[in-house]
Amino acid sequence: MTRVLTIAAFLAALACLAILEWRARRPDADLPTFGDLCGHVLSYRVGRLPVGRIALLGFWWWVGWHFFAR
Amino acid sequence: MEAGDGSSVTAAAPADTRTRLLVAGAFVPIALVAGGLPSFSLAANLLVLGVGGALFWAGVTYRPLTGRSPARRWPKGSTRWLLPAGVLAGMEAVSFVLGSTPEHPTLSLLADPWLERYPVRAAGFLGWLLAFWGLVRR
């Protein structure tokens, strides 16, 4: 039972994210797309150090390793 | 590209298409190879760490030619993403703490049976590489 509930919660959250992205891409949207949010994080710097790029691309690298290498 | 005249904008379109073809031509063969490498194999680790590491370094050192200064404020409406993203992250964290068992599966445990199939694994790897391309252009 908990397995079904867990999967349902994951699917509900993913569906909500998809709906938000769909709404954000409409011409009269009042919220940013997921790409806009990523762009904001990527632009974050501390001095000359691109902290946002290191964090987000590091997370991307880890996701690939986690799903495709182990 | 940002000169503001029409000719430079129209000239950018073929270059953009060429870049996309170049990226697809480089990423597709890698994904086709990666799709055949099983989890926990040395080859899979080397490929992900090698390709991922090279792209990570390229992405961190690349300076996008957007001409924009870093934004200080989050875009308006950003907080609406917090609830579904928080639920997803929270469920993942709870399942991980509970041991990622069949009764409390994490996303990776749910994805594993699918990723054992070659077409899904290759497509997933291609999606991972294209996600990099989507990120690094921003």
Side-chain angles (χ1 to χ4, degrees):
Chain A
M1 185 62 183
T2 50
R3 176 181 173 83
V4 174
L5 288 175
T6 304
I7 293 172
F10 276 136
L11 289 176
L14 289 171
C16 285
L17 292 172
I19 290 169
L20 279 178
E21 180 68 17
W22 171 72
R23 283 194 59 189
R25 287 170 182 262
R26 293 172 64 177
D28 57 341
D30 57 352
L31 74 162
T33 64
F34 182 71
D36 292 334
L37 293 178
C38 288
H40 181 79
V41 175
L42 286 166
S43 71
Y44 185 73
R45 288 175 166 267
V46 175
R48 291 175 59 87
L49 191 65
V51 174
R53 296 186 86 80
I54 291 171
L56 210 50
L57 291 173
F59 179 70
W60 165 85
W61 191 8
W62 174 84
V63 166
W65 177 73
H66 184 64
F67 280 93
F68 301 112
R70 61 173 297 276
Chain B
M1 271 185 243
E2 299 200 357
D5 59 18
S7 60
S8 62
V9 172
T10 50
D16 198 37
T17 304
R18 276 199 303 271
T19 307
R20 286 181 183 176
L21 288 174
L22 189 70
V23 168
F27 285 177
V28 169
I30 295 172
L32 291 175
V33 171
L37 302 177
S39 290
F40 297 104
S41 66
L42 177 63
N45 271 282
L46 289 177
L47 186 70
V48 171
L49 293 176
V51 171
L55 291 177
F56 172 80
W57 183 252
V60 167
T61 54
Y62 170 71
R63 289 171 185 269
L65 300 172
T66 59
R68 292 180 302 185
S69 58
R72 296 194 182 279
R73 289 189 173 190
W74 285 91
K76 188 182 173 189
S78 300
T79 50
R80 291 198 216 167
W81 287 88
L82 283 177
L83 181 63
V87 169
L88 195 70
M91 290 298 300
E92 179 75 357
V94 168
S95 295
F96 180 77
V97 168
L98 293 174
S100 188
T101 61
E103 278 300 298
H104 299 281
T106 54
L107 283 173
S108 53
L109 192 68
L110 292 171
D112 278 346
W114 294 90
L115 290 175
E116 287 173 5
R117 304 169 194 184
Y118 175 80
V120 178
R121 195 173 183 83
F125 204 93
L126 181 61
W128 179 63
L129 293 173
L130 290 175
F132 165 82
W133 186 244
L135 282 174
V136 82
R137 287 189 310 158
R138 290 193 169 269

